[in-house]
Amino acid sequence: MANVTESAPGSQRLQLLRVLGPAHVWALGVGIVLVGEYMGWNFSVGKGGMIAGLIACWVAGLLYTCVAMIDSEVTSTVAAAGGQYAQAKHIVGPLMAFNVGLFLVMAYTMLEAANAITVGFLLDTVAGMLGHEGLNEQPFIVLAIMFLAWLNYRGVLATLTFNLVITAIAFVAIVTLFVCVHIGVSSVPLDFSAITTDPLPYGWIGIVAALHFGLWYYLGIEGTCQAAEEVRSPARSLPFGTMAGIMTLLIAATMTWYICSGLIPWEYLGQAGTPLFDAARVTGSTGLMVLLFVGTAFATLASANGCINDASRAWFSMGRDRYLPSWFGAVHPVYRTPYRAIVFLVPIALIFALGAPLDQVVTFSILSGLLGYTFMTFNMVMFRRKWPLDTIKRGYVHPFHPVPTIVLLALCATAYFAVFLGYGTQLSAMMCFYIVASLWFHFRRYRYVSRGGQFSMPWPKPSGY
Amino acid sequence: MAYKPPKQGIAGQIFDVVTLLVLTIGALYIPLYLGLAGAAKTPNPVANPTWEALGQNAAEQQQWTALGITDPAAANDIITARFDYSFSWVALAIMAILVIGYFVMVVRLSDREYREVIEERFSDKR
């Protein structure tokens, strides 16, 4: 990603280092998202019941498979810092790019805040189990965000290698819990009787409502393309890492639903703060409890780590293009990271982590993600129309176009309705925010942006222009 | 001739960042402060609760105990709380107009800006 200096004649351009491989891309994607198995997804059970939670898990999986297919094609071709932001800039236009940049920053910063809240809640729960009630969570929230921001400040390779290790451990923890419960380690049996006695407590509308938090299982997988300028071989690594990531998450999500729904009464599960850790508590096995404590802590840290990485890249890219003050478009002269963007976003994450309830922060993140997925649908159609397949070389061409686009749009519309059921005020407030921000950009900010310089890809002129 | 954007001063940069911050924080916190945020999940507690009266079988009772809740009264609110999914069609229509209108507005204004970008970028090569 990028250069920092204003391109004065003769000045040296600082570039982000191309040091990442497919495993790092997998770790970035899964690392951000795996926390969705450790917390948040279970609110879908609360909104619709056990069956609704499972259907939401798979329907959201289908939505994200479409996202991964579409994103892999566009990203492997527009391999530039900022991911979807750079895509929007080249395919739809500057105002859309500004909005997509905000979607990314909001979604990831809110997810980072949610992770920090969960770290604090987890430590409070464990302290209570050990007889130390009333732990002050706030120092741990601040410490988690500050430490990860420092790690990101120091360099992307160390950051994502750290993510690779702790993500793998968190994933192994889920598999271990699944296997151990099946070989009879749990002192309490799996019980799915609620599926027959209380299958749909809210009826069919509960299934739709559950999709709201079903997105949380996978939210953020599209973040893999944020590292486009730091990957050694984007055309190969980005599609491979992203598709491997979505497959990993589908498996983990199904195992998570199965274990938690079998070990925890659905009414409790629907409002639990740390469901996988709670499932381990129910087994009565100290070893599993410790493992899932570690897994939850690592998953939240890995996710927050990836979120800082992605949000700062999007913010940095907007600064570099002067969509935001150009001061943010700086790369550290030694560590080659977008250090000003990283530091600037720390207090914003803290404001939300320390002052807002978890479900609100999660909803804010989901809504920003959902707006981004809606953008992907018409972005894909415009991409194929403006540059048909034979006009530019693509790293990956997704099959069955436009079926994934149509399916994604239909699922996004359903998800908006799901959010509306119970969280309509937040949805309206957020839409008002993006409308006002768009008007601000178009009528005030855009005057500081150069025109032709925004289009940096070596492509022919788009057809129709 | 290529468009030359004006250079923005420090005060202008700070003003722009503060504007965005106020918008962002306001979007989340105003609904919270006005008490309009969040889904209404209302408990309907049963009188003299027992595990049986709350619909919990033997296995589920074991699970509640393992979670540290041994008294049915403590689980009464959790088990009986339900969302209210009744909604106003007018509110749904307003939401749909907001979402669709937002995307239509952004795409149209973007296209206007995009044409300038393409014209400047590719006019150099003519």
Side-chain angles (χ1 to χ4, degrees), chain B residues 43-113:
Chain B
N44 302 294
V46 300
N48 304 316
T50 62
W51 287 123
E52 289 72 22
L54 291 168
Q56 304 299 299
N57 63 28
E60 288 165 336
Q61 290 173 35
Q62 273 185 283
Q63 293 172 350
W64 283 104
T65 304
L67 289 164
I69 300 175
T70 52
D71 181 4
N76 200 353
D77 281 356
I78 298 174
I79 293 173
T80 60
R82 291 289 184 276
F83 287 104
D84 178 8
Y85 288 145
S86 58
F87 63 88
S88 150
W89 286 98
V90 174
L92 181 62
I94 291 171
M95 185 207 75
I97 289 168
L98 268 178
V99 174
I100 295 169
Y102 160 73
F103 276 111
V104 168
M105 179 194 80
V106 169
V107 170
R108 286 178 71 99
L109 292 178
S110 284
D111 188 64
R112 198 182 298 172
E113 297 166 349

Side-chain angles (χ1 to χ4, degrees), chain A residues 431-450:
Chain A
M431 295 318 302
C432 290
F433 161 71
Y434 281 114
I435 288 169
V436 173
S438 297
L439 295 173
W440 171 81
F441 177 83
H442 183 75
F443 291 108
R444 173 179 161 76
R445 184 70 216 171
Y446 191 55
R447 80 182 70 157
Y448 299 108
V449 181
S450 68

Side-chain angles (χ1 to χ4, degrees), chain A residues 173 175-190 259 263 279-292, chain B residues 62 66:
Chain A
V175 176
T176 305
L177 177 66
F178 181 82
V179 171
C180 286
V181 169
H182 268 275
I183 61 174
V185 169
S186 176
S187 59
V188 175
L190 289 166
I259 290 296
L263 286 178
R281 286 168 62 198
V282 172
T283 65
S285 161
T286 305
L288 284 177
M289 267 190 269
V290 171
L291 182 63
L292 269 294
Chain B
Q62 273 185 283

Side-chain angles (χ1 to χ4, degrees), chain A residues 245-312:
Chain A
I246 196 75
M247 283 187 268
T248 306
L249 292 167
L250 274 164
I251 294 167
T254 305
M255 285 195 296
T256 299
W257 177 90
Y258 181 79
I259 290 296
C260 290
S261 296
L263 286 178
I264 304 174
W266 78 267
E267 299 94 336
Y268 183 95
L269 180 60
Q271 50 83 61
T274 50
L276 272 171
F277 178 63
D278 287 338
R281 286 168 62 198
V282 172
T283 65
S285 161
T286 305
L288 284 177
M289 267 190 269
V290 171
L291 182 63
L292 269 294
F293 167 77
V294 171
T296 306
F298 279 8
T300 49
L301 290 175
S303 176
N305 201 24
C307 287
I308 294 171
N309 181 84
D310 287 356
S312 62

